[in-house]
Each structure stands twice: as C-alpha cells, then as structure tokens.
Amino acid sequence: MTGSAATSIPFSFNAVAGTGSTISSIKGVLNGTPVTVNAAGIGSATANGTGSFSITTPGNYTFVASANSGLMAGSTSVNFTVNQTPAPSPDCTVD
C-alpha cells in the first residue's frame, strides 16, 4: 500500500432515537480523526450517515459511528486490518 494509490472504503450507518426523541447529530471517526459524514434525517427519529475514507498504509484501524439525541448519546465501532499485498511475480522473464 505504501507508494500505492489510496484505497477508498465506503461506510453507512443508521441511528434510531428512543420514543419521543429525535437524532440531533451523527459523526464518524477513524482512529481518532473525524471523517466527513453525509447525514440525512437529522431532527427525526431515524437518521443515517454515509461516506468514505481513504487508507494509504497497512495497519489496524477502528471506525466509530456515533449519534446524539438530546442528552443521550450512543456509538458503535468496527475494528479492521489492512494488509499490504505483495506485487505479483512476473509470469516469465526474458534473458
């Protein structure tokens, strides 16, 4: 991956507020760094977030999706590993 083009990883998540509540905000964070989330449904009982982030180096990553509803907040996370794939060996060589 190092020296390679970035790998774009899409994401989507849903947030559901409790009875009589609405979702006031949602966000996404990759390894502690905020990522852009395209939010829909803010101010309603159900909201969703979509987007993508780029990975340029192999390693372990954690993506956290979170939502706020008044004084309540919730989040969930997913851990994943990105491995570098070695370049394929040539099919043949010419001497």
Side-chain angles (χ1 to χ4, degrees):
M1 298 213 44
T2 303
S4 300
T7 299
S8 180
I9 300 175
F11 64 85
S12 67
F13 61 93
N14 295 313
V16 179
T19 303
S21 298
T22 61
I23 301 295
S24 57
S25 67
I26 57 176
K27 68 178 181 176
V29 176
L30 178 66
N31 282 9
T33 301
V35 297
T36 300
V37 174
N38 301 312
I42 299 298
S44 66
T46 303
N48 70 322
T50 61
S52 64
F53 48 81
S54 295
I55 302 291
T56 57
T57 57
N60 298 315
Y61 294 87
T62 301
F63 178 75
V64 179
S66 61
N68 291 311
S69 173
L71 299 177
M72 302 294 292
S75 66
T76 191
S77 64
V78 61
N79 298 308
F80 61 96
T81 301
V82 174
N83 296 311
Q84 183 169 357
T85 302
S89 58
D91 291 334
C92 64
T93 58
V94 177
D95 293 324

